[in-house]
């Protein structure tokens, strides 16, 4: 596919070598050996496959990867998989793999506006084909959630967004802000702004609240993350703590970056084939990426919601946290109702 707002295509074009191709089995084996030698019984690890489009590597690669992981893993290490896909190549054989390995699938689906930005390589629209794949996942019982890019246009049409969610019986939805592109040559798209972020989520919350009252709980990622933060006091969502935490993002050739939004030459920290996990982790922690964590914005000083976002993700600053802060406006309007509903849901 050739999606207008592909953030990976935007980021990778800034590198000296934009495409690393497909990961070879040799690199995958080195990756697994380096990871598992550092793990102990009862550790938990998640391998999250993204792209571009990971299914282009072929189903055989993933059976090989899972087989190698099971062979090399120390006893009693829990292995989890997630797989982010546009769905175009998914068939029954892929579903067999997802079910056998208990893979959590993230399906990219932008609802009624899908066809405005997500085309195949010939320029044809893709919504009808992706919906067929979504129905296949439903029929086969594959665990999946929806990854929906929230553009400026879709943010002001909340009723249509919600109607699509209910009509298609979507139970787990994560809205991903459409961000300003980094590369000067990138397509210009209808990006999100803090005001649009606020208006969208404030209106969506009212729709969601009505469904909850009717006994239909639809999991919206932002609401879930905020509810979890209130109930457990733990920051499990990347970016919600206001600080960048070390991630290990591995390119096809083994190069490692601290964040998929910043898979650029200046943030390269090592290679998974030649550096141990401990070395890579320490390089990320001491890297300029982590050390130049943003300070709280001047308008955060007197904000009563610092415990909820701590200034937010720096890559999403212009889309969410710039003044007037969209997150602050949303919390002002909805947080008390969200806490009340979350307390009822998670204590029953």
């Amino acid at each position: 596919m050739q999606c207008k707002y592909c953030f990976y295509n935007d980021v990778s074009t800034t590198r000296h070598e934009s495409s690393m191709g497909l990961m070879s089995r040799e690199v995958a084996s080195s990756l697994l050996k380096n990871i598992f030698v550092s793990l102990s019984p009862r550790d938990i690890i998640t391998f999250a496959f993204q792209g571009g489009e990971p299914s282009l590597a072929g189903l055989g690669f993933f059976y090989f990867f899972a087989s190698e992981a099971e062979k090399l893993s120390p006893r009693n290490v829990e292995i989890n998989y997630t797989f982010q896909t546009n769905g175009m190549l998914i068939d029954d054989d892929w579903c067999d793999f997802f079910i056998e390995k208990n893979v959590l699938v993230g399906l990219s689906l932008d609802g009624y506006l899908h066809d405005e930005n997500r085309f195949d390589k010939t320029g044809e629209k893709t919504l009808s084909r992706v919906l067929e794949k979504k129905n296949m996942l439903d029929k086969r019982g594959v665990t999946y959630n929806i990854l929906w890019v929230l553009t400026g246009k879709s943010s002001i049409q909340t009723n249509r967004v919600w109607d699509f969610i209910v009509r298609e019986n979507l139970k787990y939805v994560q809205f991903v802000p459409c961000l300003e592109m980094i590369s000067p040559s990138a397509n210009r798209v209808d990006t999100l702004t803090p005001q649009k972020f606020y208006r969208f989520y404030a209106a969506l919350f009212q729709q969601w609240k009505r469904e909850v009252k009717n006994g239909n709980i639809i999991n919206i990622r932002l609401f879930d993350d905020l509810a979890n933060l209130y109930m457990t006091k733990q920051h499990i969502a990347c970016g919600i703590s206001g600080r960048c935490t070390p991630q290990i993002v591995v390119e096809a050739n083994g190069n490692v970056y601290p964040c998929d939004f910043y898979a650029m030459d200046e943030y390269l920290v090592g290679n998974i084939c030649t550096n141990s996990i401990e070395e890579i982790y320490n390089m990320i922690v001491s890297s300029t990426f982590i050390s130049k964590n943003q300070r709280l914005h001047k308008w955060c000083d007197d904000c009563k919601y610092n415990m909820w976002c701590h200034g937010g993700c720096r890559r999403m600053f212009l889309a969410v946290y710039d003044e007037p802060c969209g997150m602050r406006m949303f919390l002002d309007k909805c947080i008390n109702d969200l806490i009340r509903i979350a307390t009822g849901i998670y204590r029953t």
Side-chain angles (χ1 to χ4, degrees), residues 12-24:
S12 63
T13 54
T14 68
R15 297 191 307 230
H16 177 72
E17 185 177 359
S18 61
S19 175
M20 310 298 182
L22 297 174
M23 181 176 286
S24 69

Side-chain angles (χ1 to χ4, degrees), residues 293-306:
N293 268 328
Q294 67 192 56
R295 293 176 297 175
L296 289 178
H297 320 303
K298 60 181 183 299
W299 50 87
C300 294
D301 291 340
D302 60 350
C303 181
K304 60 184 177 181
Y305 302 115
N306 276 340

